[in-house]
Amino acid sequence: MSNATTLYYFAVGHNDFYGGVPSFSGLRLKYFSLYDNPLGNGKSTNLDFISSLLNSTATLALLYLDNCNFGGVLPRFIANFSRLQVFLIAENVVSGTIPSEIRHLVNLQYLHLSENQLGGTIPSSWGSLQQLISLNLEGNKLFGEIPISLGNLSLLSRLYLQFNELQGTIPISFEKLKYLLELDFSRNKLQGNFPKVTSLVHLDLSHNHFIGPLPVEIGGFKDLLSLDLSNNMFLGTLPSAIGALTSLIELNINHNLFHGFIPPSFSSLKSLEILDLSCNYLTGKIPEFLGKLQYLKRLNLSFNHLEGEIPTEGIFKNKTEVVLGGNSNLCGGIPQFGLPTCPREGERQHLSHIQKLAILMSSGTLILLIIVALIVFIYKQKNKQPLKLDATTEFMPKLSYWSIQKATNEFSKSSIIGFGKFSIVYKGILDGSLGIVAIKVFKLQVRGASKSFLVECEALRQIRHRNLVKVLTTCCSIDHEGNDFIAIVYEYMINGSLDNWLHNHSKDTGENNDSKSLNLLQRVNIAIDVANALDYLHNQLETGLVHCDLKPSNILLDGDLVAHVADFGLAKFFPTEVTVASSSNQESSSIGIKGTIGYAAPEYGMGSDLSTFGDMYSYGILLLEIFTNKSPTSDIFNNGLTLHNYVRMSMPEQVTEIVDPKLFHKEANATSRSLVLQDQIIECLVSVFKIGIACSMELPKNRMSIGNAVKELHSIKNTLVELGDIGTIPC
């Protein structure tokens, strides 16, 4: 390259070059672009090549290095490129602090350092970058306060600081930024005053610590198209001044402390397409004018205190686009909402005395029925026999409390192999043909445990599949203190739970897992086993079954490492056509959130009904955990970063950095075959992660079906089998 002395433009972006960057010494370049090439390896020496460009310090105007997997720190001599106007090095693994010397790049117009691992504070000296138009520091580890000096960047039109750890307030100096169009400070720890930058078209302050009422001055943001203030602590009533934002397309203020009515002035928001006022304390009726906003595509009013009749015009004709769960006093609307008919105005007074009398009578009757039911229940408990889960259990031995106590060595701690909210699982040895078993004893003192037992029994009575845990019998008895005792006895899985294998917990799984790990093909086989079980539950039963709590601790492995899905205590039957076709917006005020944090689908937290889409989300997260060995509740996932986003942002160039390190082995002498083998295996891993990402999409309708997941996983398995020795990945 050093002989190309007349070369001014070097642009090889968006290719597949790899293996490092050659020297460019002796050249006087103006335009240098390498973006979207896997040239780096994430190491600290990746940016050393920039020193070979030093002859171009007086000419270089553009340096474009996005998405090249470059590691290391930004060199301080970057300030020598005095003519630089565009410096883009986003989506790499650049670390360290931001050099304050960048302040000398006074001709800089675009500075993008987003999606790296930069730490420290934003240099306060950047006020000298008077030509800066766009500044993007999104997705780093920056902390401290936003420098007041950024208010001196008079030409700035776009400022992105989201997904950092910034604190303090938004400087009042920002009011001087007359050309600022887009401002995104979401996912930080900011608080204080609302920024008064009326030129904005996009403002996102979500997921911060803002508190207090919204100022009426918000009505001055006449050009605003998108406003997101969600997940803060804004309070008071919704300002009528928001109605002045007639250009607004998206308004999101969910998870705040607003109360009072939805202002009539919102009827002026004629351009609105998305409106989310959920999880506040709004009262009154749902305004009729919301049904007259002709461009409104999505409306979420869930978890407020709204009451009265639901409108039937406009967006309210389409239940799938309206979320109203968590408002207990709504009525009417289209039949699909499934709400009672609203009483007519003329009937209210006439029926009030009759209603009161009916309530008193029905309450007395209900109390009497409860007493009778309790008496019947107690009688049955003292005379009950083990439940018949299927035809095979009829010939199994009928177990007593004393036989269970003996089998578990008097329920000793050393016999415990698992536990949950409603139960403890013991390893036991029963006399006769049963031998070693797993015994799930329900903690009846915990509210909901008996219901969980009945739900699990009902589910297990109707299902049978090689990848589902096999039930042997049950025990419904009385313990030594005269208390009710219920348990389910399962076939014992000698290799314990998948959770133990992935995270090397100390619980007894038959063998010491600290010295063992699952290889690549074994993990793919386990993923296929679980997918087959879900396919059976969702699509092959007369009435579909939603598992509702899919996670590694509920996946058990037998002696051949075949996976068996266990724990149906939260399961729910649905007609297959409802399960598969149900929308994410089905409301349920009674079901509540089901499942485990990290694995439960996000729509469950919004009051949506249980569906197979929720199981698919859990399966996607499970799949990502199997191959990264990272739990979705790990400490590294905070400030908005999730396991889904962690994997998605690493695809495909950095996939080797997120894979479980135990899947790699070092070769002393790398051969051409091993390098080819490595590339092919990495392609398979990328395909696996794509399935996990597709299954765990935020919107239920965007998630991959279990049938497609099974097909793609089988294709990946066939490829791995053809490659031969793929226990681990050569590196």
Side-chain angles (χ1 to χ4, degrees):
M1 286 290 182
S2 59
N3 296 325
T5 55
T6 59
L7 184 66
Y8 295 112
Y9 297 89
F10 184 81
V12 294
H14 202 58
N15 283 287
D16 291 314
F17 293 117
Y18 62 91
V21 183
S23 173
F24 288 85
S25 59
L27 303 183
R28 296 176 64 82
L29 294 168
K30 294 182 179 179
Y31 186 107
F32 186 79
S33 173
L34 302 176
Y35 78 97
D36 280 350
N37 284 288
L39 290 162
N41 56 10
K43 295 185 178 179
S44 59
T45 57
N46 284 164
L47 295 177
D48 290 351
F49 76 90
I50 296 180
S51 62
S52 70
L53 296 171
L54 286 175
N55 281 345
S56 302
T57 55
T59 56
L60 193 66
L62 182 144
L63 186 55
Y64 192 179
L65 308 177
D66 281 6
N67 195 24
C68 293
N69 199 28
F70 287 142
V73 299
L74 289 175
R76 297 188 179 279
F77 62 73
I78 195 73
N80 294 335
F81 295 88
S82 57
R83 298 289 183 88
L84 201 61
Q85 298 176 19
V86 178
F87 182 29
L88 312 177
I89 191 169
E91 298 181 71
N92 286 284
V93 284
V94 180
S95 57
T97 58
I98 302 173
S100 61
E101 286 80 0
I102 288 181
R103 70 182 184 275
H104 297 303
L105 302 177
V106 294
N107 292 302
L108 207 58
Q109 298 178 19
Y110 296 87
L111 176 58
H112 291 184
L113 308 177
S114 57
E115 302 292 347
N116 280 289
Q117 298 177 8
L118 293 167
T121 60
I122 302 172
S124 60
S125 58
W126 279 7
S128 60
L129 303 178
Q130 293 292 302
Q131 302 301 313
L132 205 59
I133 295 174
S134 178
L135 174 60
N136 191 342
L137 303 177
E138 169 193 357
N140 282 286
K141 302 176 182 178
L142 301 173
F143 56 84
E145 297 191 356
I146 300 172
I148 297 174
S149 60
L150 295 189
N152 297 328
L153 306 179
S154 57
L155 298 181
L156 197 65
S157 66
R158 291 173 176 83
L159 178 57
Y160 306 105
L161 303 180
Q162 65 267 35
F163 285 95
N164 281 287
E165 299 176 19
L166 299 171
Q167 298 176 329
T169 62
I170 299 176
I172 194 171
S173 61
F174 275 40
E175 295 181 13
K176 299 186 295 182
L177 300 178
K178 304 300 182 184
Y179 299 102
L180 192 61
L181 300 177
E182 298 185 11
L183 179 64
D184 194 335
F185 288 170
S186 61
R187 306 278 179 171
N188 281 286
K189 302 175 182 178
L190 299 170
Q191 55 186 333
N193 297 323
F194 193 86
K196 299 180 178 65
V197 188
T198 57
S199 58
L200 290 170
V201 298
H202 170 84
L203 175 61
D204 191 343
L205 301 179
S206 62
H207 293 271
N208 276 286
H209 298 166
F210 290 101
I211 189 170
L214 282 179
V216 295
E217 289 85 353
I218 193 173
F221 290 62
K222 300 293 186 182
D223 299 320
L224 207 58
L225 301 178
S226 173
L227 176 62
D228 192 342
L229 306 177
S230 60
N231 288 274
N232 281 285
M233 290 179 284
F234 287 113
L235 48 78
T237 58
L238 293 174
S240 296
I242 292 180
L245 308 180
T246 54
S247 298
L248 208 58
I249 294 175
E250 180 174 354
L251 175 60
N252 188 349
I253 57 174
N254 71 68
H255 286 87
N256 279 285
L257 305 174
F258 291 111
H259 67 270
F261 299 151
I262 299 174
S265 63
F266 276 34
S267 61
S268 300
L269 303 178
K270 304 295 187 183
S271 300
L272 208 59
E273 296 181 6
I274 299 172
L275 177 60
D276 191 341
L277 307 179
S278 62
C279 298
N280 281 282
Y281 297 91
L282 301 175
T283 55
K285 294 184 176 182
I286 299 176
E288 294 280 349
F289 63 73
L290 292 179
K292 300 183 186 299
L293 299 178
Q294 60 178 337
Y295 297 111
L296 197 58
K297 298 177 181 177
R298 196 159 72 241
L299 175 63
N300 191 344
L301 302 176
S302 62
F303 293 96
N304 281 285
H305 299 297
L306 300 171
E307 59 184 5
E309 187 168 9
I310 300 173
T312 55
E313 294 185 355
I315 193 171
F316 295 100
K317 295 178 180 178
N318 188 350
K319 178 182 177 293
T320 62
E321 304 301 332
V322 181
V323 186
L324 300 175
N327 293 285
S328 57
N329 293 320
L330 292 175
C331 60
I334 59 175
Q336 287 80 358
F337 283 115
L339 295 175
T341 303
C342 297
R344 297 176 183 175
E345 289 296 329
E347 294 177 339
R348 291 182 183 270
Q349 188 63 33
H350 178 69
L351 295 176
S352 59
H353 298 296
I354 299 175
Q355 289 172 336
K356 290 178 181 178
L357 181 60
I359 291 171
L360 287 173
M361 292 178 65
S362 61
S363 298
T365 303
L366 180 60
I367 293 171
L368 181 61
L369 288 174
I370 291 173
I371 294 172
V372 172
L374 284 173
I375 294 172
V376 172
F377 177 76
I378 292 171
Y379 176 79
K380 287 184 176 180
Q381 287 288 312
K382 295 186 180 294
N383 298 276
K384 67 177 112 182
Q385 296 294 327
L387 297 179
K388 291 182 180 180
L389 297 179
D390 55 42
T392 61
T393 62
E394 184 176 355
F395 305 103
M396 292 294 180
K398 304 301 186 267
L399 300 178
S400 67
Y401 165 80
W402 304 107
S403 62
I404 299 292
Q405 183 187 44
K406 178 183 177 182
T408 59
N409 193 21
E410 297 187 350
F411 306 105
S412 67
K413 290 185 178 180
S414 61
S415 298
I416 296 175
I417 56 176
F419 53 88
K421 179 180 179 181
F422 300 129
S423 61
I424 300 175
V425 182
Y426 296 88
K427 177 182 178 181
I429 303 177
L430 289 168
D431 296 333
S433 60
L434 292 180
I436 300 177
V437 294
I439 304 170
K440 186 174 187 178
V441 177
F442 287 80
K443 300 182 287 188
L444 294 182
Q445 70 275 20
V446 178
R447 182 179 180 183
S450 58
K451 179 180 178 181
S452 176
F453 170 77
L454 293 173
V455 168
E456 187 154 6
C457 287
E458 176 64 18
L460 294 169
R461 186 179 65 82
Q462 300 188 42
I463 60 178
R464 181 162 292 276
H465 188 273
R466 72 180 295 268
N467 294 123
L468 298 178
V469 67
K470 182 181 179 182
V471 63
L472 302 178
T473 188
T474 63
C475 174
C476 298
S477 185
I478 303 296
D479 68 15
H480 64 283
E481 295 180 349
N483 299 315
D484 293 321
F485 177 86
I486 54 178
I488 301 178
V489 181
Y490 298 99
E491 182 180 13
Y492 178 68
M493 296 291 161
I494 190 171
N495 275 310
S497 74
L498 176 61
D499 188 51
N500 288 334
W501 280 80
L502 292 177
H503 305 300
N504 289 331
H505 297 310
S506 59
K507 295 295 181 186
D508 176 29
T509 59
E511 295 184 40
N512 180 15
N513 284 342
D514 289 339
S515 61
K516 298 172 62 177
S517 64
L518 297 166
N519 67 34
L520 184 57
L521 186 56
Q522 287 170 335
R523 298 184 197 217
V524 172
N525 282 332
I526 290 170
I528 292 174
D529 289 341
V530 178
N532 284 334
L534 278 188
D535 188 34
Y536 168 78
L537 296 175
H538 291 178
N539 302 318
Q540 299 175 33
L541 294 174
E542 183 177 350
T543 54
L545 181 68
V546 183
H547 184 276
C548 301
D549 199 17
L550 201 64
K551 57 184 177 180
S553 60
N554 286 339
I555 309 300
L556 305 180
L557 305 177
D558 65 17
D560 297 321
L561 292 177
V562 174
H564 301 257
V565 177
D567 197 342
F568 289 81
L570 297 179
K572 186 174 179 67
F573 280 102
F574 281 111
T576 302
E577 62 270 15
V578 174
T579 312
V580 175
S582 64
S583 142
S584 65
N585 294 319
Q586 289 178 317
E587 289 85 22
S588 173
S589 59
S590 61
I591 292 178
I593 299 176
K594 292 276 183 108
T596 301
I597 293 174
Y599 302 92
E603 64 268 18
Y604 289 170
M606 301 298 293
S608 293
D609 209 349
L610 302 177
S611 73
T612 55
F613 294 113
D615 275 358
M616 289 312 300
Y617 179 88
S618 302
Y619 179 73
I621 297 299
L622 174 71
L623 195 60
L624 299 180
E625 183 173 359
I626 290 173
F627 290 89
T628 63
N629 200 31
K630 287 183 170 56
S631 167
T633 58
S634 170
D635 291 340
I636 69 170
F637 300 125
N638 53 40
N639 295 325
L641 180 65
T642 64
L643 177 56
H644 172 98
N645 293 337
Y646 170 77
V647 175
R648 180 179 55 80
M649 291 188 297
S650 301
M651 294 280 287
E653 292 84 358
Q654 299 175 17
V655 69
T656 56
E657 297 182 17
I658 63 171
V659 174
D660 184 356
K662 292 193 289 292
L663 285 175
F664 291 91
H665 73 87
K666 291 185 178 181
E667 288 192 355
N669 297 304
T671 64
S672 59
R673 180 187 179 279
S674 67
L675 293 175
V676 171
L677 185 64
Q678 180 190 43
D679 289 341
Q680 291 174 313
I681 294 174
I682 289 174
E683 287 180 10
C684 290
L685 285 169
V686 169
S687 298
V688 169
F689 284 133
K690 285 182 178 178
I691 297 171
I693 292 170
C695 290
S696 57
M697 297 294 287
E698 182 173 0
L699 294 179
K701 63 182 179 181
N702 292 341
R703 292 172 197 156
M704 178 181 285
S705 69
I706 192 60
N708 288 336
V710 170
K711 291 178 183 177
E712 295 200 20
L713 284 168
H714 273 293
S715 176
I716 293 168
K717 176 183 177 179
N718 292 338
T719 301
L720 290 174
V721 171
E722 290 175 3
L723 293 177
D725 181 16
I726 39 72
T728 52
I729 307 169
C731 63

